[in-house]
Amino acid sequence: MDTPPPDSVIQTDYQTGQDNIEGQLGPFDFSVHNPVFLISALCVIAFVAFTLIFPTLAADSFSALFSAATKGFDWFFIGAADVFVILCLVLVISPFGRIRLGGAQARPDFGYVSWFSMLFAAGMGIGLMFYGVSEPLSHFSSSAGGIAAGADGLRTDWAPLGAAATEAEAVRLGMAATIFHWSLHPWAIYAVMGLSLALFSYNKGLPLTIRSVFYPIFGERVWGWPGHVIDILAVFATLFGLATSLGLGAAQANAGFNKLFGMPVDETWQIVIILGITLITLFSVVRGLEAGVKRMSEINMVLAFGLLMFVLLAGPTVLLLTQAGDFLLAYLQYLPALSNPVGRDDVNFMQGWTSFYWAWWISWSPFVGMFIARVSRGRTVREFLICVLLIPSLVCVGWMSIFGGQAINQLLNDGYVAARDADLPLQLFAMLDGLPMTQITSLVGIVLVIVFFVTSSDSGSLVIDTITSGGKTDAPTLQRVFWCTFSGVIAVVLLLSAGGLTALQSMVISTGLPFTVLLLMMCVAVWKGLASEPR
């Protein structure tokens, strides 16, 4: 890392890695931050043991946590995400936008194509593959189904807002709700985290770790227990957010292998898939950032773009393009109502969809944000925010509009019900079945899931290792191998012993809730940090 500009540096006696325990384990070196690494590792091991020994109690506990967090704090998740969007948009148009990450003389380490490929592949690749067909179909069906209420007067349907009066409006509302979950709000969460970390590392000269962002709030105390707690929470949020995505990826890869090769769809094979892909990830981890994540991200973007263009050209091209514009307008039309945190009666949609999504994105934010920060030195604040916030949002609009729009068009115009009736992990492949060259495109879909899986796990392990080594970006490879292995172990344990995907979602919500508080505090810290920068 280049030396930060001297007129920006925060003067502190703390040196990166000064509290680390260093040594050698066999032929391998290690350098771990005490006590963040120790407490994080012991808690993860204790969690795995508890879940394996008491699976029923664990499943009940996770279910109770999920219910309490989503029902009691849905307004908090939704309101906090609105704050992140507003902050990012204000910074884009403010004088702060001219500030360059790394100082006025800094230049980007990566070109636009490589940079965008890495942030996008790490950010939400697996989710787009898993939900690209299923979520538009789900919201369309629930919107078309209208409102239903129980004896207590509370709504029992899953339709967003007030449902839709016509089939055409159900399509628009369903797509608007889908785009809402995949565009401005989640990328604003990532942008706040990434900008904060980049600013305090590249401009302020502090270690690249979560605690550094809170220096304007805690001062020198950030190197003590307040900082330890912040970093430990970041490790937990990252691990469980990553494990949830790995569980989704394994389920979808299993469904794809079943379709192409007859592999049984069950937990055993999903575990085999997780273990196999974890081994691939370990290979990528050992190769490092340039040869590992960077190269695989670029390959994945080419494959994803190719699959997107195939679905567009093989389907009703003009209709899909026209609909994409209409869906974007529908999103903007419904955005105020969908982002409203209070006074709503669509409780199932708010709690089961939006609250879960925001908690999931927030739990991913430490590792996605830190990974984005790692590859974003040299960008201006305005350039950073536009590229991290607006461009990926538009790509998500296009992806959901084409994949989801194709599935809905197959249902309404062709009477093709296979995608609607398929199990969730299989819906993408069922939609591709209605198009030419289904064997080839399904194989490409499986490869995309696997490589997105690998890039997410690799970048997540890289970030957890950075946090638990006190901000060192060149920590020994053995430590990344340790965290990569444990993320796979957590996914396997939760899938096997504690209620599968529901357990994964419960842990995401539970870790996302306290980290939302930290993100809100981070908004204050990054504003103070930018205000102290020379312009």
Side-chain angles (χ1 to χ4, degrees), residues 11-42:
Q11 299 301 320
T12 176
D13 293 332
Y14 185 84
Q15 300 294 318
T16 300
Q18 71 174 36
D19 296 326
N20 285 17
I21 299 175
E22 299 183 347
Q24 197 165 23
L25 187 64
F28 301 105
D29 296 328
F30 64 87
S31 177
V32 296
H33 188 267
N34 184 39
V36 174
F37 180 92
L38 182 63
I39 294 177
S40 299
L42 289 177

Side-chain angles (χ1 to χ4, degrees), residues 206-368:
L206 300 181
L208 185 61
T209 188
I210 308 296
R211 70 173 72 201
S212 296
V213 179
F214 294 87
Y215 191 93
I217 297 174
F218 293 109
E220 289 294 317
R221 289 178 299 162
V222 81
W223 312 124
W225 273 104
H228 298 338
V229 171
I230 289 169
D231 280 349
I232 290 168
L233 280 175
V235 171
F236 290 159
T238 301
L239 275 175
F240 289 114
L242 189 58
T244 300
S245 299
L246 300 187
L248 293 175
Q252 190 169 35
N254 190 190
F257 283 128
N258 170 262
K259 178 181 179 301
L260 289 181
F261 308 113
M263 175 189 287
V265 178
D266 56 35
E267 291 175 340
T268 300
W269 281 104
Q270 289 175 22
I271 291 170
V272 170
I273 290 170
I274 290 175
L275 295 178
I277 297 178
T278 300
L279 290 176
I280 299 173
T281 306
L282 290 174
F283 175 74
S284 178
V285 164
V286 171
R287 286 178 62 83
L289 180 64
E290 283 279 348
V293 174
K294 176 177 177 287
R295 188 65 58 211
M296 297 193 76
S297 297
E298 291 170 349
I299 293 171
N300 231 26
M301 288 302 294
V302 172
L303 289 175
F305 181 75
L307 184 61
L308 180 72
M309 291 307 296
F310 171 81
V311 174
L312 174 63
L313 297 175
T317 307
V318 175
L319 176 61
L320 289 173
L321 290 174
T322 304
Q323 285 181 327
D326 185 47
F327 295 154
L328 177 58
L329 292 176
Y331 162 64
L332 296 175
Q333 173 189 338
Y334 285 110
L335 179 59
L338 290 168
S339 57
N340 173 30
V342 295
R344 292 168 56 175
D345 60 1
D346 54 342
V347 288
N348 285 333
F349 175 80
M350 282 182 64
Q351 296 169 2
W353 281 102
T354 305
S355 289
F356 164 67
Y357 265 134
W358 290 178
W360 188 15
W361 303 144
I362 287 167
S363 71
W364 265 47
S365 66
F367 99 78
V368 177

Side-chain angles (χ1 to χ4, degrees), residues 180-509:
F180 171 62
H181 289 147
W182 292 89
S183 53
L184 287 178
H185 284 74
W187 285 101
I189 293 168
Y190 295 160
V192 168
M193 176 64 74
L195 176 63
S196 303
L197 288 166
L199 176 70
F200 282 91
S201 176
Y202 301 139
N203 295 65
K204 305 301 184 184
L206 300 181
L208 185 61
T209 188
I210 308 296
R211 70 173 72 201
S212 296
V213 179
F214 294 87
Y215 191 93
I217 297 174
F218 293 109
E220 289 294 317
R221 289 178 299 162
V222 81
W223 312 124
W225 273 104
H228 298 338
V229 171
I230 289 169
D231 280 349
I232 290 168
L233 280 175
V235 171
F236 290 159
T238 301
L239 275 175
F240 289 114
L242 189 58
T244 300
S245 299
L246 300 187
L248 293 175
Q252 190 169 35
N254 190 190
F257 283 128
N258 170 262
K259 178 181 179 301
L260 289 181
F261 308 113
M263 175 189 287
V265 178
D266 56 35
E267 291 175 340
T268 300
W269 281 104
Q270 289 175 22
I271 291 170
V272 170
I273 290 170
I274 290 175
L275 295 178
I277 297 178
T278 300
L279 290 176
I280 299 173
T281 306
L282 290 174
F283 175 74
S284 178
V285 164
V286 171
R287 286 178 62 83
L289 180 64
E290 283 279 348
V293 174
K294 176 177 177 287
R295 188 65 58 211
M296 297 193 76
S297 297
E298 291 170 349
I299 293 171
N300 231 26
M301 288 302 294
V302 172
L303 289 175
F305 181 75
L307 184 61
L308 180 72
M309 291 307 296
F310 171 81
V311 174
L312 174 63
L313 297 175
T317 307
V318 175
L319 176 61
L320 289 173
L321 290 174
T322 304
Q323 285 181 327
D326 185 47
F327 295 154
L328 177 58
L329 292 176
Y331 162 64
L332 296 175
Q333 173 189 338
Y334 285 110
L335 179 59
L338 290 168
S339 57
N340 173 30
V342 295
R344 292 168 56 175
D345 60 1
D346 54 342
V347 288
N348 285 333
F349 175 80
M350 282 182 64
Q351 296 169 2
W353 281 102
T354 305
S355 289
F356 164 67
Y357 265 134
W358 290 178
W360 188 15
W361 303 144
I362 287 167
S363 71
W364 265 47
S365 66
F367 99 78
V368 177
M370 185 175 290
F371 184 77
I372 292 173
R374 284 282 301 268
V375 299
S376 298
R377 195 189 69 86
R379 306 290 178 183
T380 66
V381 169
R382 183 171 293 114
E383 180 185 18
F384 177 93
L385 290 173
I386 290 174
C387 289
V388 175
L389 183 65
L390 299 181
I391 294 177
S393 294
L394 292 175
V395 172
C396 289
V397 170
W399 185 279
M400 291 297 184
S401 297
I402 291 172
F403 279 78
Q406 175 64 27
I408 293 173
N409 287 327
Q410 287 176 334
L411 175 64
L412 298 182
N413 300 334
D414 304 332
Y416 181 77
V417 299
R420 182 197 65 187
D421 296 341
D423 291 336
L424 192 64
L426 196 57
Q427 287 184 314
L428 169 66
F429 302 106
M431 182 274 286
L432 293 174
D433 260 348
L435 301 174
M437 299 190 294
T438 180
Q439 295 293 316
I440 296 175
T441 55
S442 295
L443 181 60
V444 171
I446 294 173
V447 172
L448 277 168
V449 170
I450 291 173
V451 183
F452 274 134
F453 196 146
V454 170
T455 52
S456 296
S457 183
D458 189 349
S459 54
S461 303
L462 178 72
V463 166
I464 295 174
D465 181 41
T466 301
I467 296 172
T468 56
S469 62
K472 295 181 70 172
T473 57
D474 57 349
T477 303
L478 175 65
Q479 296 164 207
R480 296 201 301 276
V481 170
F482 173 83
W483 291 114
C484 176
T485 303
F486 256 93
S487 64
V489 168
I490 290 174
V492 167
V493 167
L494 289 176
L495 280 173
L496 264 184
S497 306
L501 185 57
T502 301
L504 292 168
Q505 292 173 330
S506 301
M507 293 311 299
V508 163
I509 288 281

